[in-house]
Amino acid sequence: MATIKDVARHAGVSVTTVSHVVNKTRFVSDEGRERVEQAIRELGYVPSAVARSLQRSATNTLGMLIPNSSNPYFAEIVRGIEDRCFGAGYNLLLCNTDDEPRRQGAVLQVLAERRIDGLIVVSSGEDPALPDLLKGLRVPTVMVDREIDTLPCDLVETAHMQGAVAAVQHLAALGHRRIACIGGPAGVATAQQRTEGWRIGMAGLGLSASPELLHPGDFTSEGGYAAMHAILRQSSRPSAVFAANDLMAIGALCAAYECGVAVPDELSLVGFDDIEPARFSCPPLSTVAQPKLRIANLAVDMLLERIEGRRQEPRKVVLQPELRVRASSAPYRGDRQ
């Protein structure tokens, strides 16, 4: 591979001149710049990103930590963040913890070695070591979806509790009174907030949120599938179900189909997130939509504000979700209340 010295020799200029042309650090005459650029083209010279980052103390690279790259919700967030990064002249280095909190430390070490300029984090649940690990990176950090109270960094999230309340109110307005909930994994703040929103929504309408109506889930389709089978085995079945994310709701739809329970004629169902497959399930899924593109854009913009020194104090943004009513929820038609 051609080196900067080869380019300088080919163009008949100094190495310093080539460096100024490549890095745009000083004025170089039009004639000198054209000679350098022609030499770069002819030799196929590619500037070393590592060397440039050491010189400038910046890599134009952002890191991102997500719990599960196979979850369409995170995939849609990542796509929005990548687009925003590209438009701002930054690369994105993505790491997946596979829903294992203990892997976060190892992944953060990898990101630190890559000399990232900033970090976007969706945490993987309870990990007491995570706040200290993030502080140790000493780079601007934005949390998405899942707040860490002890960490003074930026946060972008959706009002998860209010979204769950809206789902319950929608089902109750359709005449449903016995509304079950498929909750998310223990230790994940968003799951806890959505389950609490279900309880608050039920209490606000004078409905019972008894323990037999709450079924554990894990934010996967398999978890929703298993939970729905458990719900349908109950002697006193609910007429509606709120699933704390769309993946579980899609798994629940499959279980209902296997059991011969028609959705929404015999059982209404509402999810949370509005991932793309929700529109194409059978029937299309009613859900609480998170503003994913706005979350992605805000996360990148807030991070660049900190990187560029335009803001010092941490900022918290809570976005409002929106109920999307589709064909999986309908008025109550039975007598199982």
Side-chain angles (χ1 to χ4, degrees):
M1 292 179 63
T3 67
I4 193 171
K5 291 182 179 179
D6 296 330
V7 173
R9 190 180 304 113
H10 194 82
V13 299
S14 68
V15 170
T16 302
T17 298
V18 177
S19 177
H20 289 322
V21 171
V22 170
N23 296 304
K24 299 180 175 61
T25 48
R26 283 190 190 172
F27 172 78
V28 177
S29 68
D30 291 343
E31 187 259 341
R33 187 181 68 257
E34 288 173 5
R35 284 160 55 192
V36 170
E37 290 174 347
Q38 183 177 350
I40 288 173
R41 289 193 296 271
E42 291 177 355
L43 296 176
Y45 170 67
V46 179
S48 168
V50 173
R52 293 172 69 185
S53 69
L54 290 171
Q55 185 180 52
R56 295 167 48 239
S57 298
T59 62
N60 278 62
T61 300
L62 304 180
M64 184 171 184
L65 196 66
I66 61 171
N68 190 334
S69 58
S70 64
N71 186 327
Y73 168 73
F74 296 122
E76 291 173 35
I77 291 287
V78 169
R79 181 177 180 179
I81 286 175
E82 283 182 320
D83 288 346
R84 198 68 159 191
C85 285
F86 182 80
Y90 280 78
N91 299 310
L92 183 69
L93 185 59
L94 181 65
C95 292
N96 169 43
T97 61
D98 201 23
D99 287 315
E100 293 185 16
R102 289 175 295 179
R103 289 181 58 174
Q104 293 178 134
V107 171
L108 288 172
Q109 180 63 36
V110 171
L111 293 173
E113 291 171 357
R114 299 299 180 92
R115 296 175 56 83
I116 57 173
D117 298 334
L119 179 64
I120 298 170
V121 176
V122 186
S123 67
S124 298
E126 291 182 345
D127 180 4
L130 184 60
D132 289 336
L133 290 170
L134 292 174
K135 289 176 186 176
L137 283 180
R138 299 184 182 276
V139 298
T141 300
V142 175
M143 303 296 296
V144 171
D145 244 4
R146 305 171 183 184
E147 183 176 9
I148 297 179
D149 295 334
T150 59
L151 194 66
C153 64
D154 292 340
L155 170 72
V156 183
E157 68 173 345
T158 302
H160 301 284
M161 196 177 299
Q162 289 89 328
V165 170
V168 171
Q169 290 175 340
H170 164 65
L171 291 168
L174 293 172
H176 298 281
R177 294 295 176 267
R178 189 168 170 80
I179 303 169
C181 174
I182 302 176
V188 175
T190 52
Q192 295 169 348
Q193 291 165 10
R194 293 173 195 181
T195 300
E196 185 61 22
W198 167 74
R199 290 193 183 96
I200 291 172
M202 296 288 280
L205 294 164
L207 305 178
S208 171
S210 53
E212 70 270 13
L213 288 174
L214 178 60
H215 295 260
D218 58 3
F219 277 174
T220 69
S221 296
E222 293 84 356
Y225 175 86
M228 181 60 89
H229 270 292
I231 289 170
L232 296 179
R233 285 196 298 267
Q234 292 180 327
S235 57
S236 180
R237 281 197 334 222
S239 65
V241 176
F242 164 62
N245 81 343
D246 285 348
L247 278 181
M248 294 194 299
I250 289 170
L253 273 175
C254 181
Y257 174 79
E258 286 185 356
C259 294
V261 175
V263 175
D265 292 345
E266 298 176 78
L267 181 76
S268 283
L269 180 63
V270 176
F272 201 115
D273 285 338
D274 195 27
I275 58 177
E276 188 171 352
R279 293 186 294 130
F280 302 103
S281 61
C282 188
L285 183 65
S286 295
T287 185
V288 178
Q290 295 206 63
K292 294 180 287 294
L293 183 58
R294 194 169 173 215
I295 289 171
N297 291 342
L298 273 169
V300 176
D301 292 349
M302 291 166 69
L303 194 54
L304 295 183
E305 286 177 0
R306 299 291 290 271
I307 291 171
E308 296 167 2
R310 291 183 278 132
R311 177 172 54 82
Q312 300 298 324
E313 293 302 313
R315 181 184 173 199
K316 178 177 179 178
V317 177
V318 180
L319 302 174
Q320 293 302 312
E322 178 184 346
L323 182 68
R324 300 266 168 86
V325 178
R326 299 191 181 108
S328 68
S329 55
Y332 173 65
R333 301 172 187 176
D335 56 3
R336 292 191 307 273
Q337 290 292 332

PDB file of all heavy atoms in Angstrom, residues 196 261 286 307 330:
ATOM      1  N   GLU A 196     -46.389  -1.650  35.124  1.00  0.00           N
ATOM      2  CA  GLU A 196     -46.985  -0.714  36.076  1.00  0.00           C
ATOM      3  C   GLU A 196     -48.069   0.118  35.401  1.00  0.00           C
ATOM      4  O   GLU A 196     -49.098   0.441  36.001  1.00  0.00           O
ATOM      5  CB  GLU A 196     -45.915   0.185  36.683  1.00  0.00           C
ATOM      6  CG  GLU A 196     -46.398   1.116  37.778  1.00  0.00           C
ATOM      7  CD  GLU A 196     -46.972   0.375  38.986  1.00  0.00           C
ATOM      8  OE1 GLU A 196     -46.634  -0.829  39.184  1.00  0.00           O
ATOM      9  OE2 GLU A 196     -47.758   0.988  39.734  1.00  0.00           O
ATOM     10  N   VAL A 261     -58.574 -20.033  18.981  1.00  0.00           N
ATOM     11  CA  VAL A 261     -59.190 -18.814  19.520  1.00  0.00           C
ATOM     12  C   VAL A 261     -59.032 -17.698  18.499  1.00  0.00           C
ATOM     13  O   VAL A 261     -57.903 -17.314  18.151  1.00  0.00           O
ATOM     14  CB  VAL A 261     -58.545 -18.409  20.859  1.00  0.00           C
ATOM     15  CG1 VAL A 261     -59.107 -17.084  21.357  1.00  0.00           C
ATOM     16  CG2 VAL A 261     -58.756 -19.510  21.892  1.00  0.00           C
ATOM     17  N   SER A 286     -52.880  -4.184  16.672  1.00  0.00           N
ATOM     18  CA  SER A 286     -53.029  -2.914  17.389  1.00  0.00           C
ATOM     19  C   SER A 286     -51.856  -2.794  18.357  1.00  0.00           C
ATOM     20  O   SER A 286     -51.480  -3.774  19.012  1.00  0.00           O
ATOM     21  CB  SER A 286     -54.346  -2.873  18.167  1.00  0.00           C
ATOM     22  OG  SER A 286     -55.454  -2.888  17.301  1.00  0.00           O
ATOM     23  N   ILE A 307     -20.270  16.268  22.223  1.00  0.00           N
ATOM     24  CA  ILE A 307     -18.954  16.073  21.611  1.00  0.00           C
ATOM     25  C   ILE A 307     -18.373  17.397  21.135  1.00  0.00           C
ATOM     26  O   ILE A 307     -17.168  17.673  21.309  1.00  0.00           O
ATOM     27  CB  ILE A 307     -19.054  15.076  20.433  1.00  0.00           C
ATOM     28  CG1 ILE A 307     -19.348  13.667  20.951  1.00  0.00           C
ATOM     29  CG2 ILE A 307     -17.765  15.067  19.604  1.00  0.00           C
ATOM     30  CD1 ILE A 307     -19.681  12.668  19.859  1.00  0.00           C
ATOM     31  N   ALA A 330     -61.056  -5.439  19.076  1.00  0.00           N
ATOM     32  CA  ALA A 330     -62.438  -5.185  18.636  1.00  0.00           C
ATOM     33  C   ALA A 330     -63.353  -5.180  19.844  1.00  0.00           C
ATOM     34  O   ALA A 330     -62.972  -5.597  20.941  1.00  0.00           O
ATOM     35  CB  ALA A 330     -62.861  -6.292  17.652  1.00  0.00           C
TER      36      ALA A 330
END
